[in-house]
Amino acid sequence: MSSPRVPGHPRTPRPTEDGPAVPAPTPDTADPTLAAEQAHLEHARDQLRRMRESAESLDAGTAADAFNAAYLEGALARRVASLRDDPRTTLFFGRIDHTEDAGREVLHIGRRHVGDEHGDPVVVDWRAPMSTAFYRASPTEPMGVRLRRRFGVDRGRLTAYEDERLDRGDVTDRSAILAAEIERPRSGPMRDIVSTIQPEQDEIVRSDLATTICVQGAPGTGKTAVGLHRAAWLLFSFRSRLDRSGVLVVGPNRAFLDHIGAVLPSLGEVRVSHATVDTLLDHGRVRAEDSPDAAMLKGDARMAEVLRRAVWSRVGRAEDALVVPRGSRKWRVPGYDVQDEVDALVARGVRYEAARELLPQRIAHLVMLRIERSGDFPGDRVQDSIARSAPVKAYAKGLWPALDPAAVLFGLLSDADALAEAAAGILTDDEQAVLRWSSPPRTKGAARWTRADLALLDEAADLLERTPSLGHVVLDEAQDLSPMQLRAVGRRASTGSLTVLGDIAQGTTSWATDSWDTAMGHLAREDHELVVLDRGFRVPGLVIDFAARLLPSMAPGLGAPRSVRDDPGRLDVLRVEPDRRSAAVVDAVREASAQEGSVGVIVPDAFVTAMSAALTRAEVPHGRLDEGHGDDEDRQVELVPASVAKGLEFDRVVVVEPAAIAAAEPDERTGLRRLYVVLTRAVTGLTVVHTDPLPGPLAD
Ligand SMILES: Nc1ncnc2c1ncn2[C@@H]1O[C@H](COP(=O)(O)OP(=O)(O)OP(=O)(O)O)[C@@H](O)[C@H]1O
């Protein structure tokens, strides 16, 4: 491969058309290739401006009516916004030249499509099928590509390029431009990786909409990045279908959603919803906590059958005859006839509420049959009025009462007999005792639901009425969900597909899964593709080796990622006297924040307040990522409770008292897994400050 050309350049501030002055490098006129590419970039910018001006000149007033005009105006405004030129970046980051046989076409690949006035592409969207070769072509499978060029980019200018000649086998897997992207200091929220997606990642990103994929990957292997880029690719490739059905990203907590929240908008996709499992299961606020045993049991998939029985047991038996007065006559339908209708509705497999709504019509039909047998044929309108008549409504209501999810769960958790009936043969007596409220609230409205209850309420809601399905769901950190939570997410993609991302070794809930087969079964996706990612883009070698000492004790059989980082990173493990701990942390944070890049101070949850006070006393500005607080681009130092660290990354990380982080979990394995998560957040350096001995495997 040709080595990258990285011309030297003075930096000069450059005002841009669309934004504030951005200090940008001047183009290297000495390098004719780069100068030609820079000229193509200017051409692309001109064309994008032309496209924008053309969109701006369109008039929504030509619409047929006010409603259509309003709609058109919104669509035009979105179109104009999507055609804005972001001066901080370039319109393309790569190029492929096809061989003579493949038509010698030259394509510049970028974040969005730009066309010229003849409709010819000036820049091709990275998601278009013809861009695939940029990511995947190799000497063994050149895909018609002769040359692949990657560009180094700095504040909106091209500063370097790197060529691979696939026709000559002149390629390497050590791209300096990729290395520079991976090695860059991290600051602010997560960025897209669109210019450097790797072939194994691209395969996942471009998997068909119908395919559900499960990605197992060690920390920093790009699972989250891949999931988000897959969402963007799917929206591009199946736009009309997914515009209607929707795409959802589910992550572990608010801080994580804030961390990743800018990636899809930066790729032009603003219509993707983001949620945590708790906000997704929108059945009220979490106002209580379960005992570990109760939480475990409520997360157990057996609860699905208990709830199913609880719901359907509410359908009564039609013992008494129904009498419907009409005019001077009374029509009598024996209970056993109504019961046949009830049995038929139950057997139809429709949801409880849908069947309940059908019942009055079915009963009215039985009345109509009797009227017709008497020689009268009154028609459909009469059947409707019989269905809506007071006696039929009351009879149907008694037989098939209206239910809501809270009523179902309240009934189970507060009434020992109801629970015993629904759980017979499924839960033991002891398990039922664990589930039951010791002092039940007086009404369902007064119930203080727990996190695990939300999944049970969701299951009940789906038994009553079908949950609408989205087109695609990206589920991150999926290893942490209970079987009942997995079912809840799965039903939101019942007619769509899923991208399931996770790492068994990072499972830190009591119900964390140890098997993707099992988890995918709970998501109702036995038919999925499992892909393993093992190249680590985040954690440097020294740090991952340290963290990986934990693996044999808490996830035997799972390997650490192979770090692709050039920088081996820095690892400092400082044991200090108890009265020096805060000062040592402050010193470590000061040292870390003296350099470019974000700093995460990860502490046992119970230390957050005291540590924040210590940093404040030492006049170290910092944010707090306690649950519910989001990331903030402007803050260099974030104080992170260990329980919130999952999925985040910082340039430098200071971990405080690993033994206390591990000890805060209910069991040793979960404690070591939490520690593994915490120790694998660093991109450049990790400092561990402790007074207590390190947990066994780390001390070895
Ligand atoms: N192809 C790539 N090019 C450049 N950077 C990449 C690439 N793939 C991943 N990265 C970077 O590596 C880092 C880790 O990625 P990501 O957070 O997606 O990993 P993960 O597997 O989800 O990690 P974890 O399991 O710890 O949450 C991010 O900074 C991401 O941008």
Side-chain angles (χ1 to χ4, degrees):
M1 188 190 75
S2 326
S3 55
R5 329 289 150 85
V6 187
H9 44 70
R11 307 231 185 277
T12 49
R14 172 175 166 269
T16 66
E17 181 203 344
D18 284 315
V22 177
T26 47
D28 178 59
T29 42
D31 185 311
T33 304
L34 200 59
E37 296 291 8
Q38 187 65 40
H40 187 75
L41 178 58
E42 298 308 331
H43 174 58
R45 291 212 143 112
D46 288 345
Q47 291 302 327
L48 185 62
R49 188 179 311 115
R50 184 194 54 75
M51 289 166 72
R52 191 172 58 242
E53 284 166 3
S54 148
E56 279 164 349
S57 70
L58 295 175
D59 183 7
T62 56
D65 53 45
F67 178 78
N68 279 319
Y71 177 81
L72 201 57
E73 205 169 309
L76 283 175
R78 278 197 299 280
R79 168 92 179 136
V80 170
S82 78
L83 291 169
R84 277 179 70 86
D85 190 357
D86 181 350
R88 292 162 302 180
T89 186
T90 56
L91 286 175
F92 55 81
F93 46 77
R95 153 179 168 166
I96 43 177
D97 293 11
H98 288 95
T99 56
E100 202 147 340
D101 291 349
R104 297 183 63 89
E105 201 177 12
V106 174
L107 301 177
H108 283 81
I109 317 292
R111 282 182 177 73
R112 55 152 307 116
H113 166 86
V114 181
D116 66 14
E117 50 274 78
H118 311 295
D120 291 328
V122 179
V123 178
V124 179
D125 193 299
W126 67 278
R127 296 169 291 186
M130 58 180 108
S131 300
T132 310
F134 175 74
Y135 297 100
R136 297 219 204 138
S138 67
T140 44
E141 223 177 301
M143 302 172 79
V145 173
R146 187 175 67 78
L147 173 135
R148 171 167 46 216
R149 177 168 290 166
R150 293 179 200 282
F151 294 103
V153 171
D154 188 3
R155 283 155 293 178
R157 307 287 291 184
L158 302 173
T159 55
Y161 66 95
E162 189 179 74
D163 284 351
E164 291 176 281
R165 288 297 300 265
L166 285 97
D167 51 349
R168 298 191 199 140
D170 185 9
V171 296
T172 178
D173 52 13
R174 262 288 4 110
S175 155
I177 286 173
L178 169 64
E181 174 59 17
I182 294 170
E183 299 297 330
R184 80 183 152 80
R186 301 303 201 276
S187 59
M190 188 174 187
R191 293 207 322 212
D192 72 66
I193 59 162
V194 72
S195 59
T196 53
I197 296 172
Q198 294 301 286
E200 73 273 18
Q201 298 177 323
D202 192 60
E203 299 245 359
I204 302 170
V205 168
R206 287 175 206 263
S207 300
D208 187 70
L209 178 57
T211 309
T212 285
I213 301 202
C214 172
V215 183
Q216 156 66 39
T221 49
K223 298 181 295 296
T224 301
V226 163
L228 296 174
H229 287 72
R230 183 167 189 224
W233 181 83
L234 288 171
L235 278 160
F236 176 87
S237 308
F238 303 92
R239 171 86 55 206
S240 59
R241 215 177 324 163
L242 290 178
D243 265 352
R244 262 180 283 122
S245 52
V247 175
L248 169 74
V249 175
V250 182
N253 56 46
R254 257 280 309 279
F256 173 84
L257 295 184
D258 286 344
H259 176 61
I260 66 161
V263 174
L264 281 164
S266 79
L267 297 174
E269 298 300 350
V270 288
R271 290 148 310 150
V272 177
S273 320
H274 292 67
T276 64
V277 175
D278 291 351
T279 58
L280 183 65
L281 309 186
D282 187 17
H283 300 286
R285 236 162 22 92
V286 172
R287 295 205 293 147
E289 221 175 286
D290 279 308
S291 70
D293 283 353
M296 216 34 208
L297 202 51
K298 287 178 176 179
D300 193 309
R302 289 176 298 164
M303 289 305 295
E305 177 59 13
V306 174
L307 284 160
R308 197 193 64 76
R309 287 193 197 166
V311 165
W312 288 97
S313 70
R314 299 294 187 100
V315 179
R317 287 203 66 77
E319 310 282 5
D320 301 331
L322 163 72
V323 179
V324 181
R326 219 183 104 69
S328 59
R329 294 198 60 175
K330 283 188 173 162
W331 301 96
R332 188 174 180 282
V333 183
Y336 53 81
D337 273 358
V338 179
Q339 186 60 40
D340 284 348
E341 291 298 334
V342 169
D343 291 344
L345 280 175
V346 172
R348 265 180 69 171
V350 291
R351 295 296 197 273
Y352 179 96
E353 280 297 313
R356 187 177 73 81
E357 275 164 27
L358 290 174
L359 185 60
Q361 279 289 349
R362 295 297 184 94
I363 295 176
H365 179 68
L366 294 177
V367 177
M368 288 289 282
L369 289 178
R370 279 154 182 83
I371 296 174
E372 284 168 9
R373 256 184 250 138
S374 75
D376 191 5
F377 296 93
D380 290 347
R381 295 256 285 281
V382 172
Q383 176 166 329
D384 285 347
S385 83
I386 294 173
R388 286 198 303 272
S389 68
V392 170
K393 270 169 54 184
Y395 191 93
K397 190 172 166 195
L399 205 49
W400 203 304
L403 275 182
D404 61 62
V408 176
L409 192 56
F410 176 79
L412 270 184
L413 301 185
S414 58
D415 179 342
D417 292 341
L419 179 61
E421 194 188 321
I426 301 175
L427 302 178
T428 64
D429 291 349
D430 287 349
E431 287 176 322
Q432 292 175 34
V434 167
L435 275 184
R436 278 195 310 266
W437 280 319
S438 47
S439 46
R442 287 233 302 280
T443 63
K444 64 178 183 183
R448 290 157 51 83
W449 303 119
T450 65
R451 179 158 284 143
D453 288 336
L454 297 187
L456 298 179
L457 291 166
D458 199 71
E459 184 81 27
D462 188 64
L463 288 160
L464 300 176
E465 279 178 273
R466 186 181 294 283
T467 309
S469 172
L470 294 140
H472 191 78
V473 177
V474 176
L475 173 60
D476 208 343
E477 306 292 356
Q479 75 283 344
D480 276 338
L481 271 59
S482 72
M484 292 304 290
Q485 289 174 329
L486 289 168
R487 288 173 62 86
V489 174
R491 72 175 63 100
R492 283 168 174 74
S494 57
T495 59
S497 55
L498 288 139
T499 302
V500 179
L501 312 163
D503 180 10
I504 300 278
Q506 295 185 65
T508 51
T509 52
S510 48
W511 45 44
T513 191
D514 273 333
S515 143
W516 285 120
D517 267 352
T518 310
M520 297 307 288
H522 295 313
L523 284 162
R525 291 307 153 123
E526 284 82 2
D527 55 336
H528 63 275
E529 275 179 30
L530 178 71
V531 183
V532 176
L533 293 179
D534 67 349
R535 293 207 294 153
F537 296 90
R538 176 195 303 133
V539 194
L542 275 175
V543 176
I544 199 67
D545 289 349
F546 181 64
R549 290 186 201 168
L550 297 168
L551 279 169
S553 319
M554 51 64 164
L558 282 182
R562 293 182 288 120
S563 179
V564 302
R565 302 282 313 284
D566 287 334
D567 180 356
R570 182 171 157 184
L571 173 69
D572 296 298
V573 182
L574 311 175
R575 184 159 192 184
V576 296
E577 293 303 317
D579 59 346
R580 276 278 310 143
R581 189 172 62 200
S582 288
V585 173
V586 168
D587 288 349
V589 174
R590 278 212 179 101
E591 192 194 326
S593 55
Q595 298 150 78
E596 187 190 355
S598 56
V599 179
V601 188
I602 310 183
V603 303
D605 289 21
F607 287 25
V608 173
T609 304
M611 195 50 72
S612 179
L615 289 171
T616 304
R617 272 197 307 278
E619 295 181 358
V620 178
H622 62 281
R624 278 173 64 157
L625 292 193
D626 302 34
E627 244 180 320
H629 293 254
D631 207 350
D632 185 331
E633 201 174 345
D634 300 332
R635 276 191 307 241
Q636 188 188 11
V637 179
E638 297 281 10
L639 184 56
V640 190
S643 64
V644 178
K646 194 165 281 184
L648 303 181
E649 74 181 8
F650 302 91
D651 204 54
R652 290 176 173 74
V653 170
V654 178
V655 170
V656 181
E657 213 58 82
I661 289 176
E665 301 298 334
D667 59 79
E668 190 191 351
R669 190 186 72 161
T670 310
L672 296 182
R673 287 180 168 192
R674 176 75 69 199
L675 202 45
Y676 181 64
V677 170
V678 161
L679 294 174
T680 52
R681 299 303 101 200
V683 175
T684 303
L686 171 68
T687 303
V688 176
V689 179
H690 67 112
T691 59
D692 297 336
L694 292 175
L698 283 186
D700 294 343

